[in-house]
Amino acid sequence: MNPIDPYNQIDLHPVNFEQTALILVFLLPFAAIIGFMTGKYRRKVLIVAGKDVDHVVGETTLSAILALLGLLLAFSFGNALSQAQDRKATVVDEAAALGTAFLRADFVEEPHRTALKQALLDYTKTRVLPGDGSVNSFEKAREFLRVSLAAQAQLWPLTLKATQDPMPPAIKSFVAGAVNEALDAHLYRVRSMSNPVSEITHMMMLATALMSLFLLGNRAGLVGSKLTWRIFVFATFLFIVMISIVDTQLGEEGFVRLDDTALRVTILDMEAGM
């Protein structure tokens, strides 16, 4: 069985940061323009038919859609912040666990001491993401895991060799327990890689934003107003909020990146301790 197969449930964004920004920057104002043109055409039809134009039509629907949009944005933004904090915490916890295991390996006799410490150092290096946004797809995430799991597979066999008799049981538990915690930290790190908000939720937020702008533009065209800069200002701020949510959720793309300083400092400490 391929050791990567159990990780096929990792849920990443189907499009990268640049594609998301490009989609939003065009779709949001376009929805307002289409709404305005539709409302303007409807106004012309009503006037030709000799009917009155209701200047308050759709206000209830527009208010409800805007309220729903605000709720979705608040929920998504809060979720993105929580996810970012969780990822940072898992990195710090893993760095602490790996550093502890490396230090406790000093209680092992040579030649197993150097072999175990080198394996821990090599494994720790595989836990640091590139930082250039290159791990932005499910396939690349699987490749990152494949390399890391290959290095991880060396740890426990080396630990068993290093803690074999006649080592005292207390020292065995002391060293093996630290390595076990370092291995367990991997599970928490993998959990934080997935996006807990489903794509249906993202699509619902986008649909609500587009409908809000469409109704704003439609109402302006229906009552005979011009498509003013105020609607486009709203679209701009809506774009900023939505792209900030996506940016925070991605972690390895865009402007908000995962802080892996703890892991990098741990690597430097390990290299100094070799």
Side-chain angles (χ1 to χ4, degrees):
M1 179 180 178
N2 192 326
I4 303 299
D5 290 341
Y7 298 92
N8 59 4
Q9 295 299 316
I10 293 177
D11 183 21
L12 301 179
H13 285 266
V15 294
N16 59 35
F17 179 78
E18 291 77 11
Q19 292 171 336
T20 303
L22 191 63
I23 291 171
L24 291 177
V25 79
F26 281 104
L27 278 185
L28 294 177
F30 184 71
I33 294 173
I34 292 298
F36 177 76
M37 294 174 62
T38 304
K40 191 175 181 180
Y41 174 77
R42 177 61 179 170
R43 175 182 173 84
K44 185 182 297 185
V45 170
L46 291 174
I47 292 177
V48 170
K51 297 180 180 179
D52 294 332
V53 178
D54 190 351
H55 286 198
V56 295
V57 65
E59 283 191 352
T60 302
T61 303
L62 178 59
S63 299
I65 291 292
L66 289 173
L68 177 60
L69 176 61
L71 178 64
L72 289 173
L73 289 175
F75 169 76
S76 299
F77 196 78
N79 175 269
L81 290 177
S82 176
Q83 183 182 10
Q85 291 297 324
D86 184 52
R87 283 176 174 170
K88 184 176 180 180
T90 57
V91 169
V92 174
D93 290 343
E94 183 173 39
L98 288 166
T100 299
F102 184 85
L103 292 176
R104 292 189 183 183
D106 284 330
F107 289 89
V108 176
E109 298 293 336
E110 291 289 6
H112 300 302
R113 178 196 304 163
T114 300
L116 180 56
K117 293 179 74 171
Q118 185 63 52
L120 285 166
L121 173 59
D122 294 339
Y123 174 62
T124 305
K125 289 181 178 179
T126 68
R127 307 303 292 170
V128 180
L129 289 165
D132 56 1
S134 58
V135 185
N136 56 4
S137 67
F138 180 67
E139 291 74 18
K140 293 178 180 178
R142 282 171 59 92
E143 177 60 21
F144 173 82
L145 284 172
R146 186 192 66 77
V147 174
S148 185
L149 289 175
Q152 183 192 90
Q154 307 298 319
L155 295 180
W156 194 246
L158 287 173
T159 302
L160 293 178
K161 288 182 180 179
T163 57
Q164 60 189 350
D165 292 333
M167 177 179 284
I171 301 299
K172 286 184 180 181
S173 176
F174 188 67
V175 175
V179 175
N180 187 64
E181 288 183 7
L183 295 174
D184 288 343
H186 162 75
L187 300 177
Y188 298 104
R189 184 84 181 277
V190 170
R191 181 202 64 185
S192 69
M193 290 178 65
S194 293
N195 176 24
V197 178
S198 67
E199 294 306 319
I200 295 178
T201 304
H202 286 102
M203 294 302 297
M204 181 171 58
M205 182 172 63
L206 177 60
T208 306
L210 294 176
M211 182 56 66
S212 299
L213 289 165
F214 177 86
L215 291 177
L216 284 171
N218 183 264
R219 188 174 182 279
L222 191 61
V223 300
S225 300
K226 294 182 179 180
L227 193 61
T228 64
W229 58 270
R230 294 177 178 84
I231 294 179
F232 292 108
V233 168
F234 176 69
T236 300
F237 277 97
L238 195 55
F239 166 79
I240 293 173
V241 173
M242 293 178 71
I243 201 64
S244 297
I245 292 172
V246 174
D247 191 10
T248 306
Q249 286 178 333
L250 290 176
E252 276 299 307
E253 299 179 68
F255 302 103
V256 181
R257 299 293 179 90
L258 176 66
D259 184 6
D260 57 3
T261 303
L263 273 174
R264 296 182 184 276
V265 170
T266 301
I267 292 173
L268 291 177
D269 291 340
M270 286 181 173
E271 291 175 339
M274 287 298 297

